[in-house]
Amino acid sequence: MTARMSGPFRFGDRVQLTGPKARLHTITLREGGELHTHHGVLRHADLVGLPDGSVVANSSGHEYLALRPLLRDFVMSMPRGAAIVYPKDAAQILAQADVFPGATVVEAGVGSGALSLWLLRAIGAEGRLVSFERREDFAAVARANVETFVGDVPANWDVVVGDLAQDLPRAVAAASVDRVVLDMLAPWECIDAVAEALTPGGVVVCYVATATQLSRVAEYIRGTGLFTEPDANETMVRGWHVEGLAVRPDHRMVAHTGFLVWARRLAPGAVPPEVKRRASKTSFSDEDVELWTPGAVGDRQITDKNLRKRVREAERAAEGARQAADIAEDGSSPQEPEAPASRPSSESA
């Protein structure tokens, strides 16, 4: 079962509502559910049966445009345990790693599941994704987010709670992985294990936040002698305001979110042609390494209380997706619910 991307809305579907002043509300349609705002009340049942792109009015006559969220919309509004990979970076990861249908892909860490969703879509039903995450609470958020969007937990997706450097050899056979994506603080600690798992010609992509991290992982990849010369870039997106002749760049933009560095696995015993470069400092002291700690690079740490709340939000959304899947399997069309005994609380993402 996979989530429907078109067709009439049904209970359990995720819906993105654009209301007055272009404010967004992302809800999961539930029997008896209502969206409460200071503009009035919108019953979830009023959306059931309508097609994507419909406009519906609430109790005060305010109109909302209703659409199923695109994947980029969903990952930006879903509950988060850890920071996500932004859509602009996810697109570049898929392109630079050349992720293809049927590929065997390993990622670490899974975070909130944003990149997992992009990878699962790219590899298709014939591929396999193995995601490593050190924290069980983050893994729980990721599983629930994936189930919410896809409609169930994909059979070709394995989430391993543990350390990739230690557990990768037990999860996959040597030289059997096509692509590896590392989204972590110190990816150089996993490069040796990744080299063992990658098939010759396979690609490793590292997503790092700072220039010092970028330097160290590139030098480590280069120093192993097991990969091609690493490449690196960053992606910045600047929107434009286009209205009649008032055409100009937006005042705000999504600038630096992270660097990508990638390389390909050489065949065993292969020695690449020598690349002539100017001499540079390639050694690192303990003081340098200290600069790459989470606090020093500005990582935002989520509190345990806030994380528990995010887990509950993600699991509630996943339960709605399961209800929609059950309705589809039964083949029954949802009926408009009776008025609830008491008014439910408002729901928005």
Side-chain angles (χ1 to χ4, degrees):
M1 171 65 191
T2 57
R4 294 188 310 169
M5 304 309 294
S6 61
F9 294 125
R10 63 189 181 188
F11 291 119
D13 280 350
R14 197 81 166 161
V15 180
Q16 181 174 274
L17 300 169
T18 305
K21 298 183 179 179
R23 183 175 180 182
L24 295 179
H25 300 271
T26 303
I27 64 173
T28 300
L29 297 182
R30 302 184 187 280
E31 296 188 22
E34 295 178 338
L35 171 67
H36 291 259
T37 71
H38 62 281
H39 290 292
V41 180
L42 177 64
R43 298 193 309 152
H44 291 193
D46 293 342
L47 293 165
V48 173
L50 298 178
D52 257 321
S54 296
V55 176
V56 61
N58 69 1
S59 59
S60 299
H62 290 272
E63 294 185 331
Y64 291 82
L65 172 64
L67 288 163
R68 282 187 176 85
L70 300 177
L71 180 50
R72 71 183 185 196
D73 301 320
F74 177 79
V75 299
M76 295 302 292
S77 64
M78 68 187 189
R80 302 181 189 180
I84 66 168
V85 174
Y86 275 69
K88 71 181 184 69
D89 295 318
Q92 283 295 306
I93 289 171
L94 297 182
Q96 302 298 352
D98 190 34
V99 181
F100 57 91
T104 298
V105 180
V106 170
E107 68 160 336
V110 68
S112 299
L115 183 59
S116 303
L117 282 164
W118 292 103
L119 292 171
L120 286 165
R121 174 175 284 184
I123 65 176
E126 302 302 317
R128 181 192 179 197
L129 175 63
V130 183
S131 302
F132 286 83
E133 175 54 57
R134 290 181 175 179
R135 296 184 55 167
E136 174 59 44
D137 42 12
F138 285 180
V141 173
R143 290 191 193 98
N145 283 333
V146 170
E147 183 176 2
T148 299
F149 189 81
V150 177
D152 60 7
V153 177
N156 61 339
W157 184 40
D158 298 315
V159 180
V160 179
V161 178
D163 191 309
L164 179 140
Q166 300 176 5
D167 299 328
L168 183 59
R170 293 191 289 268
V172 299
S176 67
V177 176
D178 298 300
R179 307 290 186 257
V180 176
V181 183
L182 302 179
D183 174 16
M184 57 179 62
L185 186 66
W188 50 87
E189 296 176 351
C190 299
I191 293 299
D192 292 334
V194 166
E196 183 72 18
L198 274 175
T199 186
V203 181
V204 59
V205 178
C206 302
Y207 180 61
V208 294
T210 70
T212 47
Q213 290 171 295
L214 173 64
S215 173
R216 184 165 191 189
V217 70
E219 290 297 338
Y220 194 97
I221 290 173
R222 184 178 289 124
T224 64
L226 301 175
F227 294 88
T228 59
E229 182 68 9
D231 289 308
N233 69 18
E234 67 172 329
T235 302
M236 294 180 283
V237 175
R238 182 174 71 173
W240 280 69
H241 172 87
V242 181
E243 186 175 343
L245 296 179
V247 180
R248 55 168 175 74
D250 284 341
H251 297 303
R252 296 182 178 181
M253 66 179 291
V254 181
H256 176 76
T257 49
F259 297 103
L260 295 181
V261 55
W262 64 94
R264 301 189 68 179
R265 180 68 164 94
L266 296 173
V271 179
E274 182 179 357
V275 178
K276 294 184 178 180
R277 297 187 302 270
R278 293 182 178 179
S280 63
K281 180 181 178 182
T282 58
S283 60
F284 302 92
S285 66
D286 292 340
E287 289 75 13
D288 293 326
V289 174
E290 183 63 26
L291 294 176
W292 302 318
T293 60
V297 300
D299 270 10
R300 295 179 60 188
Q301 303 299 311
I302 188 170
T303 64
D304 290 341
K305 180 179 179 181
N306 199 357
L307 181 56
R308 288 194 295 270
K309 177 182 177 182
R310 304 293 175 82
V311 172
R312 291 194 298 269
E313 291 175 354
E315 290 177 344
R316 281 199 298 269
E319 177 61 28
R322 285 193 289 271
Q323 292 175 4
D326 292 340
I327 292 173
E329 290 176 0
D330 293 341
S332 59
S333 58
Q335 302 295 322
E336 183 173 325
E338 297 180 358
S342 59
R343 188 176 74 176
S345 59
S346 62
E347 175 185 5
S348 63

